């Protein structure tokens, strides 16, 4: 396996295909780099260099007890970009991965970054607070913690249905997509995945978004049952200096799988604009 070493010695797995302009993918929770298969295969065939990594605690990366926090995740991404000496990269983040790339730019700057894409992403803030009254209440995330702690295997099976909006009347259910979601989730470690719930629910990314001055494409499904566009992407574009929002009618949180052809076309148009 190909890995880089983070500053605390953690081994971070990545895959690196092609030799063109780099596009770096950061996955959502509780998945791994395989969540980007459709996008990587497509863009590699269009002449781009595509790189995706497993967040620490997930997939094929190490599962340390330490460093399961957003700042360290951003530092791990910095270590990857530095180790591969990537320039003029486009960073693409889904869900929690969108927060990760925003925090990377807020924390490390944009010297290596030409543009960014946020897909169903959690910034600026998911939780309900006096300053964010439309956010999700704490008991939603407590329920997720309880589900992971009590029986994460069953919890991930249950979560996959609304993730892809397969629970909607008339939905065309893909058993393969459900199985892949569960397999990716179970390939990670419970400790890191449990800690992640705080990182995507209680972190404020507002200042990170303000630091994202590069062209940024924001994509979101209008039927996203896990990360509401009204509470995230529609707010995020208010803080982005050069952001463009596109929503997909009926689109789920699993846009990159269910709407892969549309997402791929939008990514290619953005990358070649």
């Amino acid at each position: 396996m190909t890995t880089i070493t983070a500053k605390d010695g953690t081994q971070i797995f990545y895959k690196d295909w092609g030799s063109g302009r780099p596009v770096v993918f950061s996955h959502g929770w509780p998945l791994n780099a395989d969540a980007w298969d459709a996008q990587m295969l497509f863009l590699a065939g269009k002449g781009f260099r595509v790189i995706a990594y497993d967040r620490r605690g997930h997939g094929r990366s190490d599962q340390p007890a330490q460093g399961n926090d957003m700042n360290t995740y951003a530092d791990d991404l910095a270590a990857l970009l530095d180790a591969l000496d990537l320039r003029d990269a486009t960073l693409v983040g889904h869900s929690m991965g969108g927060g990760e790339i925003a925090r990377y730019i807020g924390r490390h700057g944009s010297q290596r970054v030409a543009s960014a894409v946020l897909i169903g992403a959690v910034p600026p803030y998911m939780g309900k607070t006096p300053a964010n009254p439309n956010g999700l209440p704490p008991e939603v995330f407590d329920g997720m913690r309880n589900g992971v702690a009590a029986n994460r295997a069953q919890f991930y099976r249950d979560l996959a249905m609304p993730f892809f909006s397969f629970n909607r009347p008339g939905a065309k259910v893909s058993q393969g997509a459900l199985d892949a979601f569960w397999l990716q989730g179970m390939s990670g470690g419970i400790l890191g995945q449990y800690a992640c719930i705080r990182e995507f629910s209680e972190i404020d990314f507002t200042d990170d978004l303000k630091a994202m001055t590069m062209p940024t494409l924001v994509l979101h499904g209008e039927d996203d049952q896990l990360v509401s566009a009204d509470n995230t992407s529609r707010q995020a574009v208010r803080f982005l200096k050069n952001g463009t929002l596109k929503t997909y009618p009926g689109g789920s949180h699993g846009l990159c799988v269910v709407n892969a052809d549309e997402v791929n076309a939008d990514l290619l148009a953005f990358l070649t604009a």
Side-chain angles (χ1 to χ4, degrees):
M1 296 197 303
T2 50
T3 63
I4 59 101
T5 303
K7 63 182 182 181
D8 65 353
T10 299
Q11 296 296 300
I12 303 296
F13 167 84
Y14 71 97
K15 39 189 170 181
D16 183 356
W17 306 337
S19 58
R21 204 165 87 236
V23 183
V24 182
F25 295 91
S26 178
H27 63 81
W29 178 90
L31 305 176
N32 63 38
D34 295 347
W36 296 107
D37 277 357
Q39 288 66 52
M40 293 183 70
L41 181 64
F42 175 77
L43 291 177
K46 297 296 182 181
F48 291 89
R49 179 182 178 186
V50 290
I51 300 150
Y53 61 98
D54 292 353
R55 182 175 300 112
R56 67 169 58 208
H58 296 67
R60 292 140 292 200
S61 291
D62 283 352
Q63 300 180 14
Q66 76 284 353
N68 297 292
D69 61 84
M70 192 57 66
N71 286 346
T72 305
Y73 300 149
D75 293 348
D76 291 346
L77 175 54
L80 176 68
L81 297 182
D82 290 347
L84 300 181
D85 194 24
L86 300 181
R87 310 278 178 175
D88 296 321
T90 296
L91 305 184
V92 184
H94 172 245
S95 194
M96 177 178 175
E100 191 167 281
I101 67 172
R103 178 54 51 91
Y104 164 80
I105 293 166
R107 190 168 168 85
H108 295 276
S110 57
Q111 294 86 349
R112 295 187 178 275
V113 182
S115 57
V117 183
L118 306 177
I119 304 177
V122 300
Y125 194 80
M126 279 194 68
K128 183 176 183 178
T129 66
N132 188 40
N134 295 320
L136 293 174
E139 51 265 30
V140 171
F141 304 109
D142 289 341
M144 297 177 78
R145 291 184 184 93
N146 291 338
V148 169
N151 186 348
R152 70 174 174 137
Q154 187 60 51
F155 179 74
Y156 291 161
R157 287 205 184 280
D158 296 340
L159 182 64
M161 290 295 287
F163 184 97
F164 296 110
S165 287
F166 288 161
N167 57 341
R168 296 306 195 199
K172 184 179 179 181
V173 177
S174 166
Q175 188 61 48
L178 294 172
D179 291 347
F181 181 97
W182 184 85
L183 183 63
Q184 290 177 48
M186 293 305 294
S187 72
I190 189 171
L191 189 151
Q193 291 176 347
Y194 185 93
C196 266
I197 297 170
R198 177 188 181 277
E199 301 309 303
F200 64 68
S201 67
E202 298 181 24
I203 301 299
D204 188 342
F205 297 98
T206 302
D207 288 341
D208 303 305
L209 293 171
K210 291 176 180 178
M212 296 176 67
T213 58
M214 71 290 295
T216 302
L217 177 64
V218 182
L219 305 177
H220 215 117
E222 293 182 6
D223 189 39
D224 191 323
Q225 298 176 57
L226 303 187
V227 180
S228 164
D230 286 341
N231 191 43
T232 56
S233 291
R234 288 194 172 98
Q235 304 305 316
V237 292
R238 297 171 48 227
F239 302 109
L240 293 167
K241 291 184 171 59
N242 195 3
T244 301
L245 172 65
K246 177 180 178 178
T247 62
Y248 295 72
S252 68
H253 195 55
L255 279 179
C256 297
V257 174
V258 179
N259 298 83
D261 290 345
E262 296 170 79
V263 170
N264 290 349
D266 288 335
L267 286 175
L268 182 62
F270 179 68
L271 289 165
T272 56

